[in-house]
Amino acid sequence: MVTFEFQAALWEATSTSFWVFLSLPTDVTDEIRERSTVPRRGFGSIPVTVSIGNTSWTTSIFPDSKRNSYVLPVKKAVRTQQGLAVGDTAAIVLSLEP
């Protein structure tokens, strides 16, 4: 399992206030693109396990052509548990699913 640790700021989708994401750093995105051998699912998503603070969950990252990066959706329950709001920077541990 390949694991990445990084910090990223939370941002809100402009089309709706229901979705909050963070963008993976360029170096992490590049390495995931090189290493990802898992067949892509819907929307080109890649399954991952993520931890922010003491909260861990399984989700997917999605390619974002506007940012030339992958984006990670961060659900409200996680943001609430970790006391995070849009604009805050979070410490992320992200592992590609085997």
Side-chain angles (χ1 to χ4, degrees), residues 26-56:
T26 303
D27 61 328
V28 174
T29 293
D30 291 345
E31 191 165 345
I32 289 172
R33 285 180 179 147
E34 289 175 15
R35 291 178 175 266
S36 182
T37 58
V38 175
R40 301 280 175 96
R41 301 188 312 190
F43 301 105
S45 65
I46 297 174
V48 295
T49 299
V50 181
S51 295
I52 297 177
N54 61 357
T55 304
S56 296

Side-chain angles (χ1 to χ4, degrees), residues 8 14 21-22 24 31 38 43 50 52 69 72-73 78 89 91 93-94:
T14 55
F21 298 90
L22 57 83
L24 278 61
E31 191 165 345
V38 175
F43 301 105
V50 181
I52 297 177
S69 179
L72 169 71
V78 173
T89 298
V93 178
L94 181 141

